[in-house]
């Protein structure tokens, strides 16, 4: 039997399968080949993504992050919080630095609550107008490790996130890589509700950490919130985003929220393929 030990965690509704590969026993190509099977919610363990903890000579560890469709993502905010919790569980460390394709991430673990510092955002574009089947969709673009299109809407609870989000995600304006899409509504008192269509999952997810940051930073640039925003996710939980803006430049972006261990076990790889 080819068995693989795993942890499954949830970060405010985003769920991930996390594998300890600190002994470097399996390759990147191997893990890429099993992503779809392991993350399948009917015949596998089921998750939004697969995260591999690899050894690194310069930091505490290096991750490989795979979306559920098998694609590689540069960054995932809630995934970063969950992998930090697992590394803390394995090693006993409460503070760590790890490598992603988006850069180094600082993480701080206090019980189930995890705070991560993300890389500074880039590629910020305001006043974008997308013609979608004759309807103009207005929003802003920002890269918080991965690309995000932030769209204010009034009827957020009834909004067709799956259909409109998919069309925007694949729209030619964002070609060739596409974008994540966040539909957002400011609720007052620095609280913003966000519903996200995630690239790679290809559906609405219960939460998106980089999307929460993207939303908070766009509203921060507009002066609606200052230094902090509380993001209410589709799953009803809250994420806190901290940041500073000086001379229109954004620095010190932190994402904080709860994480949950769901299960630990072994997946029988020869049975799910």
């Amino acid at each position: 039997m080819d068995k693989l030990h795993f942890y499954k965690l949830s970060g405010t509704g985003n769920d991930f399968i996390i594998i300890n590969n600190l002994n470097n026993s399996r390759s990147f190509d191997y893990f890429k080949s099993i992503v779809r099977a392991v993350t399948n919610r009917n015949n596998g363990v089921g998750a939004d993504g697969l995260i591999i903890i690899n050894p690194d000579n310069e930091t505490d560890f290096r991750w490989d992050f795979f979306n559920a469709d098998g694609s590689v993502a540069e960054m995932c905010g809630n995934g970063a919080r969950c992998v930090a919790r697992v590394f803390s569980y394995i090693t006993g460390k409460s503070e760590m630095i790890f490598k992603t394709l988006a850069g180094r991430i600082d993480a701080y673990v206090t019980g189930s609550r995890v705070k991560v510092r993300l890389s500074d955002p880039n590629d910020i574009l305001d006043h974008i107008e997308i013609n979608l089947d004759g309807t103009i969709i207005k929003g802003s673009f920002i890269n918080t490790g991965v690309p995000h299109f932030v769209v204010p809407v009034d009827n957020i609870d009834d909004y067709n996130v799956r259909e409109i989000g998919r069309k925007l995600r694949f729209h030619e304006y964002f070609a060739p890589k596409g974008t994540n899409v966040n539909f957002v509504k400011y609720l007052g008192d620095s609280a913003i509700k966000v519903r996200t269509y995630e690239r790679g999952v290809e559906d609405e997810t219960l939460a998106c950490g980089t999307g929460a940051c993207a939303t908070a930073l766009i509203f921060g640039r507009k002066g609606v919130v200052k230094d902090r925003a509380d993001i209410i996710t589709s799953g009803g939980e809250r994420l806190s985003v901290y940041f500073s803006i000086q001379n229109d430049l954004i620095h010190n972006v932190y994402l904080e929220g709860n994480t949950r261990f769901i299960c630990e076990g072994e997946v029988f790889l020869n049975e799910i393929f």
Side-chain angles (χ1 to χ4, degrees), residues 5-54:
H5 185 266
F6 71 91
Y7 305 91
K8 182 174 178 179
L9 281 79
S10 170
T12 54
N14 258 156
D15 58 344
F16 306 95
I17 298 164
I18 300 174
I19 296 173
N20 176 6
N21 192 45
L22 288 172
N23 61 5
N24 211 24
S25 61
R26 299 184 190 251
S27 69
F28 173 90
D29 289 338
Y30 172 81
F31 287 118
K32 186 173 177 60
S33 72
I34 69 171
V35 174
R36 289 176 179 268
V38 173
T39 59
N40 185 285
R41 294 194 182 275
N42 294 314
N43 296 312
V45 179
D48 292 328
L50 175 67
I51 303 174
I52 314 302
I53 301 175
N54 299 302

Side-chain angles (χ1 to χ4, degrees), residues 121-125 128 140-150 179-180 182 210-211 213-215 217-218 221 250:
N122 54 54
D123 300 332
I124 304 172
L125 296 170
I128 295 174
S140 301
F141 181 86
I142 186 170
N143 190 312
T144 53
V146 288
H148 281 276
F149 186 42
V150 179
T179 187
N180 300 280
N182 307 277
T210 54
C213 291
T215 300
L217 299 181
I218 291 298
R221 278 170 52 85
I250 302 172

Side-chain angles (χ1 to χ4, degrees), residues 117-182:
R117 180 178 180 178
L118 279 65
S119 54
D120 293 342
N122 54 54
D123 300 332
I124 304 172
L125 296 170
D126 293 315
H127 311 299
I128 295 174
E129 296 187 357
I130 304 295
N131 190 326
L132 201 66
D133 302 326
T135 300
I136 302 300
I137 305 293
K138 298 180 180 181
S140 301
F141 181 86
I142 186 170
N143 190 312
T144 53
V146 288
H148 281 276
F149 186 42
V150 179
V151 181
V153 296
D154 291 326
N155 57 331
I156 190 167
D157 293 328
D158 300 321
Y159 205 81
N160 192 342
V161 169
R162 176 180 290 181
E163 180 180 344
I164 299 174
R166 183 185 299 272
K167 290 180 178 179
L168 289 169
R169 178 261 189 268
F170 288 104
H171 195 276
E172 62 182 3
Y173 183 90
F174 303 107
K177 291 185 177 181
T179 187
N180 300 280
V181 186
N182 307 277

